[in-house]
Each structure stands twice: as structure tokens, then as C-alpha cells.
Amino acid sequence: QVQLVESGGGLVQPGGSLRLSCAASGRIFSINAMGWYRQAPGKQRELVADITSGGSTNYVDSVKDRFTISRDYAKNTVYLQMNSLKPEDTAVYYCNADITRISAVYHYRNNYWGQGTQVTVSS
């Protein structure tokens, strides 16, 4: 099974910065898109940013010019640099990847999720 391991969350004051990372491991043939989602208490999970295999990026309007998503293709890792953090950014952040994995019999394409990492922005 493919696993996505996240790190980099924590407690930070408003205006501070954090850098999240997510590394995919397992029997991976290829990775198409990778992205970050977040979910605050009592709210639906929302897309924060994603990046395609071609390098195109997309951001939710509330984080534009503050967050930057990037990808290390050789390490199967995606990053989210978060600057000028606001209390409204407080949530559990989840990594997602569209992955084609290889088995002894066939290839299979599916979406995979990390366990989530807590980001808390508070004074």
C-alpha cells in the first residue's frame, strides 16, 4: 500500500510561517497531481493548493500570495510554504496524491491521503 507521511505542523503566532512536507512511499509507478487540503472543526474539507505533474499550480483565493506549493519529483515529496499566517488558517492539513502504483499483476491509479498535521495560529 502507498503511504503519505506529513510533517511540519505546529503552533505559530499570527504573521508567522510554517513549512509542511509530505513524502509518498511504496510501490509507486508515477504521481500525477499532489495537493494540500485542510479541515477546520465543524467545517468541510477544502482544497488549499495543488500542483500537477507538469508544474501548474492552483490556490484557494484566501491563501494566494501567502502560500506556495512546490514539489520534488525525485523524492516524491510535496511542500507547502505558509507565510503571513492568520487565525483563520487554523485547521488539520492533509496531503493528497493521485498515484499510479505497481503490483505483481497490474497498475492501479487512485487517490491517497495522509493522516493530517495540525496547524494552529493563535496569539
Side-chain angles (χ1 to χ4, degrees):
Q1 180 79 293
V2 172
Q3 284 192 303
L4 272 56
V5 180
E6 302 155 332
S7 63
L11 174 64
V12 65
Q13 292 186 325
S17 298
L18 287 173
R19 188 182 189 228
L20 307 182
S21 64
C22 172
S25 62
R27 286 176 162 266
I28 298 172
F29 179 76
S30 64
I31 301 178
N32 187 15
M34 302 187 78
W36 289 95
Y37 293 71
R38 67 185 180 187
Q39 187 168 22
K43 297 183 178 180
Q44 296 292 316
R45 187 175 300 186
E46 67 172 350
L47 174 68
V48 179
D50 60 17
I51 182 168
T52 69
S53 60
S56 298
T57 59
N58 180 62
Y59 301 89
V60 67
D61 187 66
S62 61
V63 308
K64 288 181 179 178
D65 302 320
R66 298 191 297 120
F67 292 9
T68 302
I69 189 170
S70 60
R71 180 172 172 176
D72 187 326
Y73 292 87
K75 297 181 179 179
N76 291 332
T77 300
V78 65
Y79 304 92
L80 185 67
Q81 179 66 48
M82 304 185 293
N83 299 324
S84 301
L85 283 162
K86 304 175 181 180
E88 304 90 276
D89 297 317
T90 297
V92 177
Y93 284 70
Y94 297 90
C95 177
N96 176 268
D98 180 6
I99 295 175
T100 298
R101 63 182 179 89
I102 187 171
S103 71
V105 182
Y106 58 87
H107 295 74
Y108 186 74
R109 183 175 178 178
N110 199 11
N111 276 288
Y112 295 86
W113 292 92
Q115 293 90 348
T117 183
Q118 178 71 50
V119 172
T120 302
V121 185
S122 177
S123 60

